[in-house]
């Protein structure tokens, strides 16, 4: 029950964050919005790291460089996400983003040695079919491209970031 509550609370907070990003990103350039959000996130993260772990946990130059590269890949995912929510309907972005789950399952199986379960196949087929049906009804395909690029970069970026951060401890 506790995991259920955490999952749906996080989903609700991400939804509110997405709505705020949609509203605030319309007033400035996409790269400007990504830049200011990244600077804000950097300082909040640095402050939280200093408070909770101190400066003694610096991962070293090589790991820091890897984190920066992977963060840039995640930045591209965020940039294309902002492009998507400014190009197509907000509800379409959310529902098309579900294809990211297919990418995540594939990456988990290939790179993280996740166990294969028989129910993965019908889940992937249903999500893919749902996206294909939706694609049939969407007239503006540019937003779809932006969603797919966003999901691709975010999935690759977060998977690589997870692997990189796991190796720092």
């Amino acid at each position: 029950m506790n995991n259920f509550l955490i999952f749906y609370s996080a989903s609700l907070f991400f939804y509110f964050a997405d709505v705020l990003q949609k509203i605030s990103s319309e007033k400035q350039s996409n790269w400007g919005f990504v830049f200011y959000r990244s600077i804000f996130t950097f300082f909040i993260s640095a402050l939280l790291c200093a408070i909770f772990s101190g400066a003694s946990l610096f991962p070293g130059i090589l790991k820091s460089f890897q984190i920066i590269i992977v963060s840039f890949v995640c930045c591209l995912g965020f940039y294309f996400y902002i492009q998507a929510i400014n190009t197509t309907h907000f509800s379409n972005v959310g529902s098309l983003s579900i294809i990211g789950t297919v990418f995540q399952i594939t990456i988990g199986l290939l790179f993280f040695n996740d166990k294969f379960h028989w129910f993965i196949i019908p889940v992937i087929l249903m999500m893919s079919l749902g996206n294909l049906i939706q694609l049939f009804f969407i007239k503006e395909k540019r937003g779809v491209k932006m969603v797919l690029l966003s999901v691709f970069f975010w999935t690759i970026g977060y998977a690589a970031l997870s692997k990189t951060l796991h190796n720092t401890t």
Side-chain angles (χ1 to χ4, degrees), residues 137-148:
F137 292 104
I138 294 176
K139 294 177 183 168
E140 178 55 54
K141 300 296 186 207
R142 183 172 185 271
V144 173
K145 291 176 193 172
M146 297 299 119
V147 170
L148 293 176

Side-chain angles (χ1 to χ4, degrees), residues 94-114:
S95 56
L96 285 172
S97 294
I98 206 162
I99 198 69
T101 305
V102 175
F103 293 160
Q104 291 167 356
I105 290 170
T106 305
I107 286 175
L109 290 170
L110 294 176
F111 299 109
F112 292 99
N113 299 321
D114 288 353

Side-chain angles (χ1 to χ4, degrees), residues 16-59:
F16 287 130
D18 289 345
V19 169
L20 290 173
Q21 290 174 32
K22 167 76 174 158
I23 292 168
S24 60
S25 68
E26 292 174 343
K27 297 178 178 81
Q28 57 184 313
S29 74
N30 292 339
W31 280 116
F33 182 76
V34 170
F35 175 77
Y36 289 120
R37 182 183 177 270
S38 297
I39 294 295
F40 177 76
T41 303
F42 171 79
F43 283 115
I44 293 295
S45 299
L47 179 66
L48 290 173
C49 284
I51 290 171
F52 291 110
S53 63
S56 63
L57 293 179
F58 184 75

